Amino acid sequence: MTDPPLVFREIDLGRDAELCVQFRADSYVCGDGTADRFFARAGPGGRDYLARLSKYMQDLPGSCVHAWRSEQIVGQIEMVRNAGAGAGAGDPSVGKVNLFYLRPDHRGRGLGGQLEQYALDFFGALGLGAAWLRVSATNTRAIAFYKKHGWVDVGCDEGVPEMRVMRKQLS
């Protein structure tokens, strides 16, 4: 018997802001071993991060979603168009994944592919031809996942050398 597919719903910041901060902080722990770098930029209680997240959601509806399994949030995706430095910044045909996140108890169960597919479908519906993301060079599990799914490591991020830049063609 296979598990039902994940359901993706726009993040409800009024209800789930604290959870968003927890997920984002844990994503840094997965890569850096600590969330210090996240909290240095996120502001008290994650206030600055939540303001950025709200702006992403206003600018591009459907770009920031929670992944639901039954009645439980098990993951989060954050996407933007044409942002930051790296492989595709400034190119209107490229999207950026800011976050693919699954709770630890839901990793290794084949759900990451569903997160990725949501992002690829989302960017494809916008007519984008490629996507890029950053991943910590020490997050070998994530790097292996991305390579297995056809993402190409295009090198170190110039602004944050401990991060790798991965890119995937959509067409």
Side-chain angles (χ1 to χ4, degrees), residues 47-63:
R47 180 190 66 225
D48 298 341
Y49 160 71
L50 291 170
R52 285 190 302 274
L53 188 58
S54 178
K55 182 169 178 10
Y56 299 155
M57 293 168 60
Q58 289 172 356
D59 291 348
L60 194 57
S63 64

Side-chain angles (χ1 to χ4, degrees), residues 143-154:
I143 291 170
F145 171 85
Y146 296 132
K147 287 183 176 181
K148 176 182 172 185
H149 287 85
W151 293 78
V152 176
D153 185 337
V154 296

Side-chain angles (χ1 to χ4, degrees), residues 46-169:
R47 180 190 66 225
D48 298 341
Y49 160 71
L50 291 170
R52 285 190 302 274
L53 188 58
S54 178
K55 182 169 178 10
Y56 299 155
M57 293 168 60
Q58 289 172 356
D59 291 348
L60 194 57
S63 64
C64 299
V65 296
H66 276 142
W68 291 75
R69 185 169 222 185
S70 299
E71 295 304 312
Q72 187 176 43
I73 297 172
V74 300
Q76 183 169 314
I77 306 171
E78 299 171 17
M79 298 172 286
V80 295
R81 181 186 259 217
N82 213 8
D91 182 342
S93 70
V94 178
K96 180 185 176 208
V97 178
N98 279 342
L99 179 67
F100 277 136
Y101 179 83
L102 277 171
R103 285 188 358 212
D105 59 330
H106 283 75
R107 295 178 191 152
R109 298 165 71 175
L111 301 175
Q114 291 182 52
L115 297 181
E116 183 203 32
Q117 193 60 56
Y118 178 89
L120 299 179
D121 290 346
F122 182 82
F123 286 144
L126 294 174
L128 304 184
W132 71 281
L133 55 82
R134 292 183 191 139
V135 60
S136 172
T138 60
N139 193 341
T140 55
R141 184 175 185 171
I143 291 170
F145 171 85
Y146 296 132
K147 287 183 176 181
K148 176 182 172 185
H149 287 85
W151 293 78
V152 176
D153 185 337
V154 296
C156 290
D157 184 305
E158 291 178 20
V160 190
E162 64 272 11
M163 301 296 282
R164 304 298 301 174
V165 175
M166 308 288 287
R167 183 178 170 103
K168 184 169 185 172
Q169 292 302 122

Side-chain angles (χ1 to χ4, degrees), residues 1-81:
M1 174 184 246
T2 56
D3 292 323
L6 296 174
V7 174
F8 296 93
R9 297 181 189 135
E10 188 115 44
I11 292 172
D12 180 345
L13 283 176
R15 183 188 64 212
D16 297 317
E18 186 176 318
L19 185 63
C20 291
V21 172
Q22 289 173 7
F23 283 178
R24 192 69 158 129
D26 188 48
S27 76
Y28 276 74
V29 171
C30 291
D32 297 350
T34 176
D36 292 348
R37 197 164 50 92
F38 167 70
F39 284 113
R41 186 169 179 240
R47 180 190 66 225
D48 298 341
Y49 160 71
L50 291 170
R52 285 190 302 274
L53 188 58
S54 178
K55 182 169 178 10
Y56 299 155
M57 293 168 60
Q58 289 172 356
D59 291 348
L60 194 57
S63 64
C64 299
V65 296
H66 276 142
W68 291 75
R69 185 169 222 185
S70 299
E71 295 304 312
Q72 187 176 43
I73 297 172
V74 300
Q76 183 169 314
I77 306 171
E78 299 171 17
M79 298 172 286
V80 295
R81 181 186 259 217

